[in-house]
Amino acid sequence: AQQVEAGVSRLLTLAAVMWLSVSAYTPYECGGNHWAASGAWCTEGVTVACNVLPFGTRVKVLGHVYTVQDRMASGWRRHLDIFMEDYGEAVQFGRRELPVEVLE
């Protein structure tokens, strides 16, 4: 919190924005497995995989908030994968360079 005029305080939140290559993955690429590297159950609309952010980090991509719960193969550094149940939707999403806002 930061003090502002007249003793009124307000909370200032700083967020980092990273441009990452963003794609989608499904249980199909994981051999039908829904368990994330963190031990969480992969859930569409919640789970993302990222090697450069700690588990539990909340990120905003295309206006939606996700939680880092999974990892990718060790070679992926500047990449984020969004978990989806439907393989066709994941393929349609493709790979895009997008801003990823790190919330916490």
Side-chain angles (χ1 to χ4, degrees), residues 21-43:
S21 176
V22 179
S23 60
Y25 74 110
T26 69
Y28 174 80
E29 289 85 23
C30 305
N33 185 8
H34 275 73
W35 292 106
S38 68
W41 185 256
C42 292
T43 305

Side-chain angles (χ1 to χ4, degrees), residues 1-12:
Q2 175 184 1
Q3 288 291 4
V4 195
E5 292 180 35
V8 177
S9 66
R10 64 180 173 175
L11 182 62
L12 298 178

Side-chain angles (χ1 to χ4, degrees), residues 17-23 49-53 72-81 95-100:
V17 176
M18 304 184 300
W19 280 84
L20 299 177
S21 176
V22 179
S23 60
C50 185
N51 292 347
V52 297
L53 296 170
M72 303 174 69
S74 62
W76 295 97
R77 292 286 174 231
R78 301 212 33 92
H79 195 91
L80 183 130
D81 239 0
R95 178 170 292 150
R96 316 171 192 186
E97 291 293 319
L98 294 172
V100 175

